[in-house]
Amino acid sequence: MTERKLRVLLLFGGRSSEHSVSCVTAAGVMQAIDRERFEIVPVGISRDGGWTLLDQDPEGWALNTGKLPEISTLDHPVHLSTDAQKTSLLAYSESSVTDLGEIDVVFPLLHGPFGEDGSIQGMLEMAGVSYVGSGIAASAMGMDKHFMKVVFEGAGFKVGPYEVITNKQWLRDSEASMKRCENLQYPLFVKPARAGSSVGITKVDEPSGLRAAIEIARAEDPKVIVEQGIVGREIECGVLEGRGSN
């Protein structure tokens, strides 16, 4: 008897400004995943939040097409249905509902708000759906550059000098908010606190450019972090939870 392949729902696109980056990530996963072991079910989320079943061909979501990939149509709308026994993917129209089969696990490939920040993880937790990656708290803290630094400092790690400007602080007194940044040495890096893929980030070399940089960051997130530049090596590493870990 042939063992059934694990059905993995790849969830990508999303409502954030990193929509296209998420599609490119999905193309990479489609190319790398072992099709002998896993059956993939690509589901895209459009910028307005609709879910749709998509083609399994990674070429359509890669950058080599000459334009940024975009999930713009909902030709095959779907949603997840869960009960105590299983999670199923359902396709629906005005006149019918079709069961597209059981889903074993969701692989969220969303970038930015509404996906990478614990929101989709919370939805899946509430529905009792298994998923890949960090949980709600780790996702939320890892997405927020301010809270991430607070957690690191609490664990005894050193972090670079920074200031946080909240929406209320900026609207109440923008001059006072910028004055706090005088404690930092230039160049500064002004970032949306809860965004990624370098979206909304500006390097500022002198005080005259600070206000405009903050406004650019605020277009992505009303909470802004201003970091003092640091000269040094940048080291990236992946962290995977081992089997049997608590």
Side-chain angles (χ1 to χ4, degrees), residues 11 41 76-77 90 120 126 149-150 157 160 172 201 207 238 243:
L11 191 60
V41 183
H76 306 285
L90 303 181
I120 196 72
M126 289 181 65
K149 291 177 185 290
V150 171
F157 290 97
R172 180 179 295 169
I201 295 178
R243 294 181 179 179

Side-chain angles (χ1 to χ4, degrees), residues 2-204:
T2 304
E3 185 176 353
R4 183 177 73 85
K5 295 180 182 179
L6 198 69
R7 295 193 85 212
V8 182
L9 189 152
L10 304 182
L11 191 60
F12 59 97
R15 296 171 56 190
S16 81
S17 59
E18 299 172 69
H19 178 100
S20 295
V21 180
S22 172
C23 294
V24 174
T25 297
V29 172
M30 289 182 199
Q31 291 170 338
I33 198 166
D34 186 351
R35 301 293 184 100
E36 297 295 321
R37 296 177 58 199
F38 305 105
E39 178 186 351
I40 64 170
V41 183
V43 172
I45 301 179
S46 63
R47 289 187 186 272
D48 62 3
W51 290 37
T52 186
L53 186 66
L54 297 170
D55 193 342
Q56 297 190 16
D57 182 7
E59 293 300 317
W61 307 109
L63 284 175
N64 55 14
T65 59
K67 62 179 181 179
L68 292 175
E70 177 86 14
I71 300 167
S72 56
T73 60
L74 298 176
D75 294 332
H76 306 285
V78 295
H79 69 263
L80 288 175
S81 173
T82 63
D83 57 34
Q85 304 299 322
K86 65 178 182 177
T87 299
S88 299
L89 186 68
L90 303 181
Y92 59 94
S93 64
E94 293 182 358
S95 59
S96 65
V97 176
T98 304
D99 191 338
L100 300 180
E102 187 173 350
I103 298 297
D104 295 301
V105 62
V106 173
F107 193 164
L109 300 168
L110 301 161
H111 287 248
F114 309 108
E116 199 176 3
D117 57 354
S119 55
I120 196 72
Q121 290 79 9
M123 186 200 79
L124 295 172
E125 290 271 5
M126 289 181 65
V129 179
S130 299
Y131 62 92
V132 175
S134 299
I136 301 169
S139 298
M141 288 186 289
M143 187 69 191
D144 190 311
K145 298 175 181 63
H146 171 213
F147 291 152
M148 179 193 69
K149 291 177 185 290
V150 171
V151 171
F152 282 171
E153 289 178 304
F157 290 97
K158 293 182 179 179
V159 302
Y162 69 95
E163 290 287 345
V164 173
I165 302 174
T166 66
N167 187 49
K168 183 181 291 186
Q169 291 168 343
W170 184 254
L171 296 178
R172 180 179 295 169
D173 193 340
S174 61
E175 290 296 332
S177 297
M178 291 194 296
K179 189 172 181 59
R180 286 193 282 116
C181 298
E182 292 178 357
N183 298 321
L184 305 175
Q185 297 179 6
Y186 285 82
L188 305 179
F189 289 87
V190 182
K191 306 175 180 180
R194 297 161 294 197
S197 302
S198 298
V199 175
I201 295 178
T202 305
K203 180 183 178 182
V204 180

